[in-house]
Amino acid sequence: MRTLTVDLGERSYPIYIGPDLIKQGLLDRHITDSRALLITNETVGPRYRGQLVTPENVSVTDLVLPDGERYKTLTTCERVYDSLISGRFDRSATIIALGGGVIGDLAGFCAATYQRGINFVQIPTTLLAQVDSSVGGKTGVNHPQGKNMIGAFHQPQAVIADTYLLGTLPERELAAGLAEVVKYGLIRDPEFFSWLERNADKLLAKDADALAHAVAESCRNKAEVVAADEREGGVRALLNLGHTFGHAIETYTNYSAWLHGEAVAVGICMACRVSVELGWLCEADLQRTQRLLAKLGLPQRPPNIPLERFLELMSVDKKSQGGRIRLVLLKGIGDALVTSEFDHGALHRSIETT
Amino acid sequence: MRTLTVDLGERSYPIYIGPDLIKQGLLDRHITDSRALLITNETVGPRYRGQLVTPENVSVTDLVLPDGERYKTLTTCERVYDSLISGRFDRSATIIALGGGVIGDLAGFCAATYQRGINFVQIPTTLLAQVDSSVGGKTGVNHPQGKNMIGAFHQPQAVIADTYLLGTLPERELAAGLAEVVKYGLIRDPEFFSWLERNADKLLAKDADALAHAVAESCRNKAEVVAADEREGGVRALLNLGHTFGHAIETYTNYSAWLHGEAVAVGICMACRVSVELGWLCEADLQRTQRLLAKLGLPQRPPNIPLERFLELMSVDKKSQGGRIRLVLLKGIGDALVTSEFDHGALHRSIETT
């Protein structure tokens, strides 16, 4: 087991990474009260809930939600609040999230807002959640007109990333998670990017060591960024590479046809294309990125969205300021910046030609 | 104009107190972006919105909500989120709350959770909001089974307490606000309590200087407590004197028959009675408190709620731990403590006899 720390002063917390962690009683260290609400979904719950070792002296109530991004709404939160209140959970209770990014984001938001904040432990079960959404304290739900529009910062007490759980992950979801892994290489870690190029086959074959390394390096990168900028005043925004494009695609397709990571993969390609159009990134680096994403089985072209509509969806993004679209763009592999100061003609051309 | 500061490091903010402040352009100092959403209600909006001076270079959109505690719900929040998203408000926008505690709590919660937190200015229009709910960063909405069960801590950029607005406040609401004013005296400021005894008539006659003094002393007390314990890990819980009883009454009556301050006044009497039953408070101090509340026109007896139901409603309170009711109790005027370590028989007798 590897243990990383997200360094946030008195709100610091560990990320445990390794195989079979859910069987090892790690929750004992992080649940301080006698009550916990475990939130999972209909897919993950039946598969792994029975294997999860919970503290003997803690009474755990299970809440099984439907599976899917379209349930990441305030309406589903009300189900959680109802369970918490009717079960008399008080401020010292803990919410355990056992699931992918949807469960983690939603359970985290409920933990952030129930009685103005209760404890929270993340047990991410998808690669995407292990390398990205479970770390860093961003919680939230979607609004029909925009992804993650309603949310809060709320750091967990611990993240338990059991890489054994990735064994049953469908290929498509594995690939979607790898899009976020590639992102870390692109924005700040060229060595890791090269490692990914060399180990893409192992990752797709679910080689245990390769997966554990990819999760650990991703979490290390994310933990460093979050520790430097918890509330996204600066450098943390780099983690959104590809996301403004990706969110537009997800919103347009009503969060149903595309997995988040797939939309991000397309968004990464589009951000690279804009960077090339601006003369900031060389064509060779764009092609290297495209090749890696293709090797990982990820899409690179958006669905057919009219230019005007695409721009409109992008401008609803949380990063936009005063209606101006801000983007994470690249100057090289491992070298990113956030800016709204770019020739928007390059953006338009990229949307039309990608 | 008096200016107090809530001292919370980089999240410190001013409370401005005095007459006619809404006409003085104080918002200029605290709105940094070009967009603001002003949230008010159908009662306050028509009366004061026209007098509020907003910065010339800021585009202000108004959202007028129905008036009343029963609208302090997630459903009303959705109306706010809809306005923010359809109006393309981004992270640098500001929410201005012009209204009483319901508007302030709800608008504050939306500010806390829209895009994981945007700026927020409180312009409280009732005495209750000026002396209590607008200061300290507690935001939230009610759940059918419990008051303020869903919420977040989110400090405003400024609080503008215009005492001129209290001129149109109905007598009943003025009295309700005074219940919270009396609370500050009881928990930590015996001199202020004596001043209230001497000046009760002036306050009821809406004497401008007396009201301004009462607001300023209340805010000073609250600001000191919040600065010492922002997230209610300790001393801040004293501010809940009377509230566990009061919330039970409000929940039982479905947030409609009783004003919050009225329920708190009853709760204060009940907390005093428990304290006397325990032998912690002398009968004379109970009577002094009852006399002052009576002079201010406040109720002192709860509606007819069966004992078991009353206890059940109290145990849902956010302060309860492991099902055990915690109460703020008194050892004297100006001397309070929070505890669950008391003879519950005294609580039962107090509920049955008050």
Side-chain angles (χ1 to χ4, degrees), chain A residues 81-82 85 88 90-91 113 115-116 138-139 143 145 149-151 232 312 315 318 320-322, chain B residues 81-82 85 88 90-91 113 115-116 138-139 143 145 149-152 232 312 315 318 320-322:
Chain A
Y81 298 134
D82 289 347
I85 295 178
R88 302 289 179 85
D90 65 34
R91 266 184 197 158
T113 53
Q115 302 204 5
R116 299 197 190 93
K138 281 193 181 180
T139 72
H143 182 277
Q145 289 170 61
M149 275 288 160
I150 302 158
E232 200 163 311
E312 191 187 343
S315 71
K318 290 192 296 301
S320 72
Q321 283 181 340
Chain B
Y81 298 134
D82 289 347
I85 294 177
R88 301 290 178 87
D90 65 35
R91 266 184 196 159
T113 53
Q115 301 204 6
R116 300 197 187 92
K138 281 193 179 180
T139 71
H143 182 277
Q145 289 170 61
M149 275 287 159
I150 302 158
E232 201 165 309
E312 190 188 344
S315 73
K318 292 193 294 301
S320 72
Q321 283 182 339

Side-chain angles (χ1 to χ4, degrees), chain A residues 53-265:
Chain A
V53 174
T54 59
E56 277 185 18
N57 54 348
V58 174
S59 153
V60 180
T61 305
D62 285 16
L63 176 64
V64 182
L65 298 175
D67 186 9
E69 181 91 27
R70 68 184 176 285
Y71 297 104
K72 196 173 125 177
T73 61
L74 274 185
T75 305
T76 308
C77 289
E78 300 210 44
R79 282 191 57 184
V80 177
Y81 298 134
D82 289 347
S83 295
L84 288 164
I85 295 178
S86 64
R88 302 289 179 85
F89 286 84
D90 65 34
R91 266 184 197 158
S92 52
T94 299
I95 287 181
I96 304 166
L98 175 69
V102 170
I103 289 293
D105 285 2
L106 184 140
F109 182 67
C110 293
T113 53
Y114 183 64
Q115 302 204 5
R116 299 197 190 93
I118 64 173
N119 286 344
F120 173 48
V121 175
Q122 291 264 25
I123 307 179
T125 59
T126 64
L127 182 59
L128 188 82
Q130 292 190 358
V131 301
D132 184 22
S133 57
S134 69
V135 175
K138 281 193 181 180
T139 72
V141 296
N142 300 328
H143 182 277
Q145 289 170 61
K147 199 170 150 75
N148 294 327
M149 275 288 160
I150 302 158
F153 285 96
H154 190 62
Q155 300 294 342
Q157 267 54 50
V159 179
I160 300 171
D162 184 340
T163 50
Y164 168 78
L165 307 186
L166 304 179
T168 57
L169 201 64
E171 271 179 34
R172 190 178 160 198
E173 288 198 35
L174 182 77
L178 289 169
E180 297 280 2
V181 174
V182 169
K183 179 190 77 179
Y184 294 111
L186 282 169
I187 62 170
R188 70 194 303 271
D189 196 340
E191 270 185 51
F192 183 43
F193 189 90
S194 301
W195 182 90
L196 289 169
E197 291 178 310
R198 295 194 304 276
N199 291 276
D201 293 333
K202 283 189 187 171
L203 290 169
L204 292 175
K206 294 186 181 171
D207 175 276
D209 288 341
L211 279 178
H213 183 78
V215 172
E217 285 300 287
S218 298
C219 288
R220 180 184 59 73
N221 273 292
K222 179 142 190 188
E224 286 172 8
V225 170
V226 169
D229 175 24
E230 184 180 5
R231 296 215 158 215
E232 200 163 311
V235 68
R236 183 164 178 169
L238 296 180
L239 295 174
N240 293 311
L241 174 68
H243 283 61
T244 303
F245 297 98
H247 286 174
I249 293 169
E250 287 181 274
T251 305
Y252 185 78
T253 54
N254 206 20
Y255 308 120
S256 55
W258 291 67
L259 294 178
H260 174 65
E262 293 171 337
V264 167

Side-chain angles (χ1 to χ4, degrees), chain B residues 172 249-250 253 255-260 262-263 266 299 301-303:
Chain B
R172 190 178 161 198
I249 294 169
E250 288 182 274
T253 54
Y255 308 120
S256 55
W258 291 67
L259 294 178
H260 174 65
E262 293 172 336
V266 172
R301 296 174 66 89

